[in-house]
Amino acid sequence: MIQVENLVKTYGDFTAVDDVTFTAEAGRVTGFLGPNGAGKSTTMRVMTGLTPATRGSATVLGTPYEALQNPGRHVGVLLDASAQHAGRTGREVLSLGAMTLGVGEKRVDQMLEVVGLTAKESKRRIRNYSLGMRQRLGLANALLGDPKVLILDEPANGLDPAGIRWMRDLLGTFAAEGGTVLLSSHLLHEIERIADDIVVIGRGKIVASGTKEELLRPSGCLVRSADDETLHRVLSGKGLDVLVLPNGGLQVEAETAAVGQVAAEAGIALVELRGADSQGLEEMFLTLTSDDARQETAA
Protein backbone atom coordinates (compact mmCIF):
# COMPACT_ATOMS: atom_id res chain seq x y z
CA MET A 1 0.00 0.00 0.00
CA ILE A 2 1.04 3.58 -0.71
CA GLN A 3 -0.36 6.43 1.39
CA VAL A 4 0.10 10.10 0.56
CA GLU A 5 -1.29 12.51 3.15
CA ASN A 6 -1.52 16.30 2.85
CA LEU A 7 1.65 16.34 0.76
CA VAL A 8 3.08 19.76 -0.11
CA LYS A 9 6.22 20.50 -2.10
CA THR A 10 7.30 24.06 -2.80
CA TYR A 11 10.26 25.52 -4.66
CA GLY A 12 10.57 29.10 -3.47
CA ASP A 13 7.26 30.80 -4.27
CA PHE A 14 6.16 27.97 -6.58
CA THR A 15 3.97 25.18 -5.19
CA ALA A 16 4.49 22.03 -7.25
CA VAL A 17 2.34 19.76 -5.06
CA ASP A 18 -0.47 21.29 -3.02
CA ASP A 19 -2.06 19.29 -0.17
CA VAL A 20 -2.21 16.00 -2.09
CA THR A 21 -3.86 13.02 -0.38
CA PHE A 22 -4.60 9.60 -1.88
CA THR A 23 -4.06 5.88 -1.31
CA ALA A 24 -2.92 3.14 -3.69
CA GLU A 25 -4.28 -0.13 -2.33
CA ALA A 26 -2.66 -3.56 -2.35
CA GLY A 27 -4.01 -5.95 -4.97
CA ARG A 28 -4.97 -3.09 -7.29
CA VAL A 29 -3.48 -1.00 -10.10
CA THR A 30 -3.81 2.74 -9.48
CA GLY A 31 -3.50 5.03 -12.49
CA PHE A 32 -1.90 8.38 -11.61
CA LEU A 33 -2.84 10.91 -14.27
CA GLY A 34 -2.31 14.58 -15.00
CA PRO A 35 -1.12 16.95 -17.73
CA ASN A 36 2.51 18.05 -18.03
CA GLY A 37 3.49 20.13 -15.03
CA ALA A 38 0.62 18.86 -12.89
CA GLY A 39 2.87 17.47 -10.12
CA LYS A 40 2.88 13.73 -10.93
CA SER A 41 6.64 13.29 -11.17
CA THR A 42 7.30 15.48 -8.12
CA THR A 43 4.86 13.41 -6.07
CA MET A 44 6.48 10.17 -7.21
CA ARG A 45 9.95 11.52 -6.43
CA VAL A 46 8.82 12.41 -2.91
CA MET A 47 7.32 8.97 -2.31
CA THR A 48 10.56 7.31 -3.48
CA GLY A 49 12.79 9.45 -1.26
CA LEU A 50 14.42 11.42 -4.09
CA THR A 51 12.84 14.76 -3.16
CA PRO A 52 12.05 15.88 0.40
CA ALA A 53 8.52 17.00 1.14
CA THR A 54 7.92 20.52 2.38
CA ARG A 55 4.99 19.29 4.46
CA GLY A 56 2.88 16.18 4.73
CA SER A 57 3.97 12.59 4.22
CA ALA A 58 4.26 9.75 1.73
CA THR A 59 4.66 6.21 3.01
CA VAL A 60 5.11 2.85 1.32
CA LEU A 61 4.00 -0.23 3.26
CA GLY A 62 3.45 2.10 6.22
CA THR A 63 7.02 3.47 6.22
CA PRO A 64 8.75 6.41 4.51
CA TYR A 65 10.78 5.02 1.59
CA GLU A 66 14.09 6.27 2.99
CA ALA A 67 13.44 4.43 6.27
CA LEU A 68 12.92 1.05 4.61
CA GLN A 69 15.67 -1.52 5.15
CA ASN A 70 17.02 -2.49 1.72
CA PRO A 71 14.12 -0.66 -0.01
CA GLY A 72 14.56 -2.46 -3.34
CA ARG A 73 13.36 -5.66 -1.66
CA HIS A 74 10.07 -3.94 -0.86
CA VAL A 75 9.54 -1.33 -3.60
CA GLY A 76 10.35 -1.53 -7.30
CA VAL A 77 10.83 1.87 -8.92
CA LEU A 78 11.06 2.96 -12.56
CA LEU A 79 10.98 6.73 -13.01
CA ASP A 80 13.24 7.18 -16.04
CA ALA A 81 14.27 4.26 -18.25
CA SER A 82 16.96 6.39 -19.88
CA ALA A 83 18.74 6.98 -16.56
CA GLN A 84 20.85 3.82 -16.83
CA HIS A 85 24.61 3.52 -17.26
CA ALA A 86 25.01 3.62 -21.04
CA GLY A 87 28.43 1.94 -20.95
CA ARG A 88 27.32 -1.17 -19.11
CA THR A 89 25.52 -4.16 -20.54
CA GLY A 90 22.01 -5.01 -19.50
CA ARG A 91 23.23 -8.06 -17.58
CA GLU A 92 25.87 -6.01 -15.78
CA VAL A 93 23.25 -3.51 -14.62
CA LEU A 94 21.04 -6.29 -13.26
CA SER A 95 23.97 -8.18 -11.72
CA LEU A 96 25.08 -5.06 -9.83
CA GLY A 97 21.50 -4.58 -8.69
CA ALA A 98 21.32 -8.20 -7.55
CA MET A 99 24.51 -7.82 -5.48
CA THR A 100 23.18 -4.61 -3.90
CA LEU A 101 19.86 -6.24 -3.01
CA GLY A 102 21.39 -9.50 -1.87
CA VAL A 103 19.68 -11.73 -4.42
CA GLY A 104 21.48 -14.33 -6.50
CA GLU A 105 22.49 -14.29 -10.14
CA LYS A 106 19.70 -16.77 -10.81
CA ARG A 107 17.25 -13.92 -10.17
CA VAL A 108 18.94 -11.95 -12.97
CA ASP A 109 18.29 -14.77 -15.42
CA GLN A 110 14.68 -15.01 -14.25
CA MET A 111 14.06 -11.28 -14.73
CA LEU A 112 15.65 -11.22 -18.17
CA GLU A 113 13.26 -13.99 -19.16
CA VAL A 114 10.27 -12.24 -17.57
CA VAL A 115 10.85 -9.00 -19.50
CA GLY A 116 11.74 -10.73 -22.76
CA LEU A 117 15.41 -9.75 -23.16
CA THR A 118 17.45 -12.52 -24.77
CA ALA A 119 20.89 -13.64 -23.60
CA LYS A 120 22.41 -11.92 -26.64
CA GLU A 121 20.55 -8.68 -25.96
CA SER A 122 21.56 -8.73 -22.30
CA LYS A 123 25.23 -8.64 -23.37
CA ARG A 124 24.78 -5.48 -25.46
CA ARG A 125 25.72 -2.12 -23.99
CA ILE A 126 22.76 0.00 -22.97
CA ARG A 127 23.82 2.82 -25.29
CA ASN A 128 22.83 0.46 -28.11
CA TYR A 129 19.41 -0.33 -26.64
CA SER A 130 16.20 1.06 -28.09
CA LEU A 131 13.92 2.94 -25.70
CA GLY A 132 11.65 -0.10 -25.57
CA MET A 133 14.56 -2.33 -24.53
CA ARG A 134 15.55 0.19 -21.85
CA GLN A 135 12.00 0.10 -20.53
CA ARG A 136 12.12 -3.69 -20.33
CA LEU A 137 15.48 -3.53 -18.53
CA GLY A 138 14.12 -0.88 -16.16
CA LEU A 139 11.15 -3.10 -15.33
CA ALA A 140 13.51 -6.04 -14.76
CA ASN A 141 15.47 -3.88 -12.32
CA ALA A 142 12.27 -2.80 -10.56
CA LEU A 143 11.19 -6.44 -10.15
CA LEU A 144 14.64 -7.74 -9.21
CA GLY A 145 14.12 -7.64 -5.45
CA ASP A 146 10.70 -9.36 -5.62
CA PRO A 147 8.98 -6.24 -4.22
CA LYS A 148 5.42 -5.87 -2.93
CA VAL A 149 5.00 -2.40 -4.47
CA LEU A 150 5.75 -1.00 -7.94
CA ILE A 151 6.01 2.74 -8.66
CA LEU A 152 6.27 3.31 -12.39
CA ASP A 153 6.41 6.57 -14.35
CA GLU A 154 5.57 6.18 -18.07
CA PRO A 155 6.77 2.54 -18.29
CA ALA A 156 5.13 2.01 -21.69
CA ASN A 157 7.18 4.68 -23.49
CA GLY A 158 8.92 3.14 -26.48
CA LEU A 159 7.12 -0.21 -26.29
CA ASP A 160 5.44 -1.55 -29.40
CA PRO A 161 1.82 -2.80 -29.23
CA ALA A 162 2.94 -6.30 -28.30
CA GLY A 163 5.19 -4.88 -25.59
CA ILE A 164 2.37 -2.75 -24.18
CA ARG A 165 0.12 -5.79 -24.01
CA TRP A 166 2.90 -7.74 -22.31
CA MET A 167 3.35 -4.97 -19.73
CA ARG A 168 -0.41 -4.83 -19.13
CA ASP A 169 -0.49 -8.57 -18.43
CA LEU A 170 2.61 -8.36 -16.22
CA LEU A 171 1.21 -5.58 -14.03
CA GLY A 172 -2.22 -7.18 -13.89
CA THR A 173 -0.69 -10.43 -12.64
CA PHE A 174 1.47 -8.58 -10.11
CA ALA A 175 -1.61 -6.86 -8.65
CA ALA A 176 -3.69 -10.06 -8.75
CA GLU A 177 -1.05 -11.70 -6.56
CA GLY A 178 -1.48 -8.99 -3.92
CA GLY A 179 1.02 -6.38 -5.12
CA THR A 180 0.45 -2.62 -5.22
CA VAL A 181 0.96 -0.82 -8.54
CA LEU A 182 1.07 2.97 -8.97
CA LEU A 183 1.28 3.71 -12.67
CA SER A 184 1.67 7.06 -14.40
CA SER A 185 1.11 7.14 -18.16
CA HIS A 186 0.00 9.42 -20.99
CA LEU A 187 -1.51 6.38 -22.75
CA LEU A 188 -5.00 6.93 -21.38
CA HIS A 189 -6.56 4.01 -23.25
CA GLU A 190 -4.05 1.69 -21.57
CA ILE A 191 -4.77 3.13 -18.13
CA GLU A 192 -8.46 2.65 -18.85
CA ARG A 193 -7.84 -1.01 -19.63
CA ILE A 194 -5.56 -1.88 -16.72
CA ALA A 195 -6.33 0.46 -13.81
CA ASP A 196 -8.68 -0.45 -10.97
CA ASP A 197 -8.46 3.01 -9.38
CA ILE A 198 -7.65 6.41 -10.84
CA VAL A 199 -6.16 9.55 -9.29
CA VAL A 200 -6.13 12.74 -11.39
CA ILE A 201 -3.91 15.69 -10.48
CA GLY A 202 -3.97 19.19 -11.96
CA ARG A 203 -1.88 22.22 -10.95
CA GLY A 204 -0.57 20.27 -7.99
CA LYS A 205 -4.01 19.41 -6.57
CA ILE A 206 -6.07 16.22 -6.73
CA VAL A 207 -9.06 16.98 -8.97
CA ALA A 208 -10.58 13.48 -8.92
CA SER A 209 -9.99 10.08 -7.36
CA GLY A 210 -11.93 6.86 -7.04
CA THR A 211 -12.49 3.54 -8.71
CA LYS A 212 -12.54 3.47 -12.49
CA GLU A 213 -16.21 2.51 -12.43
CA GLU A 214 -17.11 5.43 -10.17
CA LEU A 215 -15.27 8.03 -12.22
CA LEU A 216 -16.47 6.80 -15.61
CA ARG A 217 -20.06 6.16 -14.55
CA PRO A 218 -22.57 7.97 -16.81
CA SER A 219 -24.02 11.10 -15.25
CA GLY A 220 -27.23 12.98 -15.98
CA CYS A 221 -29.13 12.80 -19.24
CA LEU A 222 -29.13 13.99 -22.85
CA VAL A 223 -32.10 15.92 -24.21
CA ARG A 224 -33.04 17.44 -27.57
CA SER A 225 -36.11 19.54 -28.19
CA ALA A 226 -37.90 21.70 -30.73
CA ASP A 227 -36.47 24.75 -28.91
CA ASP A 228 -33.19 23.97 -27.14
CA GLU A 229 -32.49 27.63 -26.40
CA THR A 230 -35.69 28.04 -24.41
CA LEU A 231 -35.24 24.63 -22.77
CA HIS A 232 -31.75 25.63 -21.71
CA ARG A 233 -33.09 28.78 -20.10
CA VAL A 234 -35.92 26.97 -18.33
CA LEU A 235 -33.68 24.17 -16.99
CA SER A 236 -31.05 26.64 -15.82
CA GLY A 237 -33.81 28.61 -14.10
CA LYS A 238 -34.58 25.48 -12.07
CA GLY A 239 -31.01 25.45 -10.81
CA LEU A 240 -29.88 22.53 -13.01
CA ASP A 241 -26.41 22.31 -14.59
CA VAL A 242 -26.84 22.39 -18.37
CA LEU A 243 -24.19 21.96 -21.06
CA VAL A 244 -24.83 22.77 -24.72
CA LEU A 245 -23.52 19.91 -26.86
CA PRO A 246 -21.47 20.71 -30.01
CA ASN A 247 -23.75 18.64 -32.26
CA GLY A 248 -26.99 19.94 -30.81
CA GLY A 249 -28.96 19.08 -27.74
CA LEU A 250 -28.21 19.53 -24.04
CA GLN A 251 -26.52 17.49 -21.32
CA VAL A 252 -28.27 17.98 -17.99
CA GLU A 253 -27.12 16.89 -14.53
CA ALA A 254 -30.53 15.49 -13.56
CA GLU A 255 -32.66 12.38 -13.93
CA THR A 256 -34.62 11.99 -17.17
CA ALA A 257 -37.95 12.16 -15.31
CA ALA A 258 -37.07 15.53 -13.80
CA VAL A 259 -36.02 16.98 -17.16
CA GLY A 260 -39.15 15.65 -18.84
CA GLN A 261 -41.33 17.23 -16.12
CA VAL A 262 -39.68 20.64 -16.53
CA ALA A 263 -40.10 20.49 -20.32
CA ALA A 264 -43.76 19.47 -19.99
CA GLU A 265 -44.52 22.32 -17.60
CA ALA A 266 -42.91 24.77 -20.04
CA GLY A 267 -44.80 23.31 -22.98
CA ILE A 268 -41.63 22.36 -24.86
CA ALA A 269 -41.84 19.31 -27.13
CA LEU A 270 -38.95 16.89 -26.69
CA VAL A 271 -37.35 15.12 -29.63
CA GLU A 272 -35.04 12.93 -27.54
CA LEU A 273 -34.54 12.22 -23.84
CA ARG A 274 -32.21 9.51 -22.52
CA GLY A 275 -29.59 8.77 -19.92
CA ALA A 276 -26.11 10.08 -20.69
CA ASP A 277 -23.59 7.73 -22.27
CA SER A 278 -20.73 6.45 -20.16
CA GLN A 279 -17.74 8.72 -20.71
CA GLY A 280 -14.33 7.35 -21.58
CA LEU A 281 -11.21 8.08 -19.57
CA GLU A 282 -9.86 10.49 -22.19
CA GLU A 283 -13.06 12.53 -22.12
CA MET A 284 -13.07 12.60 -18.32
CA PHE A 285 -9.38 13.51 -18.17
CA LEU A 286 -9.71 16.40 -20.62
CA THR A 287 -12.79 17.70 -18.83
CA LEU A 288 -11.14 17.64 -15.42
CA THR A 289 -7.79 19.11 -16.49
CA SER A 290 -8.75 21.56 -19.25
CA ASP A 291 -8.25 24.52 -16.89
CA ASP A 292 -5.33 22.98 -15.02
CA ALA A 293 -2.85 22.05 -17.76
CA ARG A 294 0.45 23.87 -17.68
CA GLN A 295 2.38 23.84 -20.89
CA GLU A 296 6.18 23.52 -21.04
CA THR A 297 6.57 23.13 -17.28
CA ALA A 298 8.41 20.28 -15.61
CA ALA A 299 6.10 17.81 -13.92
Side-chain angles (χ1 to χ4, degrees):
M1 175 186 289
I2 301 169
Q3 290 182 298
V4 179
E5 296 183 356
N6 305 115
L7 185 66
V8 175
K9 178 59 186 177
T10 59
Y11 296 94
D13 295 333
F14 173 62
T15 301
V17 178
D18 190 357
D19 197 27
V20 164
T21 296
F22 68 89
T23 299
E25 300 282 356
R28 300 177 70 83
V29 177
T30 300
F32 191 33
L33 308 178
N36 291 336
K40 299 187 308 299
S41 294
T42 299
T43 301
M44 297 175 92
R45 287 179 62 84
V46 171
M47 66 177 62
T48 54
L50 296 173
T51 298
T54 303
R55 292 192 302 278
S57 65
T59 59
V60 184
L61 301 172
T63 305
Y65 181 89
E66 57 271 24
L68 290 169
Q69 295 294 319
N70 199 354
R73 297 297 296 267
H74 307 283
V75 188
V77 178
L78 175 58
L79 299 184
D80 185 356
S82 296
Q84 302 181 73
H85 196 304
R88 297 193 187 279
T89 67
R91 173 171 283 279
E92 286 172 345
V93 166
L94 292 182
S95 294
L96 287 170
M99 285 189 287
T100 301
L101 295 173
V103 299
E105 191 71 16
K106 184 178 180 180
R107 183 68 178 171
V108 172
D109 293 325
Q110 291 173 341
M111 290 303 97
L112 286 170
E113 183 175 353
V114 165
V115 302
L117 289 175
T118 66
K120 182 177 181 180
E121 289 169 336
S122 73
K123 295 176 183 178
R124 289 168 56 184
R125 300 197 183 277
I126 293 174
R127 68 166 60 94
N128 299 318
Y129 275 19
S130 66
L131 178 55
M133 291 174 67
R134 293 185 189 204
Q135 292 285 16
R136 289 175 181 268
L137 181 63
L139 283 168
N141 223 339
L143 292 165
L144 194 59
D146 194 19
K148 297 180 178 66
V149 176
L150 289 177
I151 299 174
L152 310 173
D153 193 4
E154 301 290 349
N157 276 358
L159 293 179
D160 58 20
I164 291 173
R165 181 175 181 178
W166 158 80
M167 185 194 70
R168 187 196 315 143
D169 293 342
L170 175 69
L171 299 184
T173 299
F174 183 88
E177 294 175 349
T180 301
V181 180
L182 181 69
L183 171 66
S184 169
S185 177
H186 284 102
L187 300 178
L188 298 183
H189 61 285
E190 284 303 319
I191 291 290
E192 187 168 2
R193 296 186 70 172
I194 192 174
D196 301 299
D197 304 307
I198 295 173
V199 177
V200 184
I201 188 171
R203 287 194 182 273
K205 293 179 176 289
I206 300 299
V207 296
S209 65
T211 68
K212 180 172 60 179
E213 289 74 18
E214 289 171 343
L215 294 180
L216 302 185
R217 181 183 299 144
S219 175
C221 64
L222 302 177
V223 60
R224 301 175 192 273
S225 73
D227 186 355
D228 282 347
E229 185 176 347
T230 300
L231 182 59
H232 186 303
R233 185 170 61 253
V234 171
L235 291 168
S236 297
K238 295 289 186 179
L240 300 176
D241 290 330
V242 184
L243 175 66
V244 178
L245 299 174
N247 296 323
L250 308 171
Q251 181 169 331
V252 188
E253 290 298 319
E255 297 294 328
T256 55
V259 172
Q261 182 66 33
V262 172
E265 291 173 354
I268 300 173
L270 298 184
V271 176
E272 180 182 10
L273 177 61
R274 60 182 174 84
D277 298 325
S278 176
Q279 64 179 339
L281 180 57
E282 182 176 16
E283 180 182 352
M284 183 208 73
F285 175 82
L286 293 174
T287 299
L288 289 171
T289 63
S290 60
D291 296 329
D292 301 315
R294 282 193 298 233
Q295 299 298 322
E296 300 179 355
T297 303

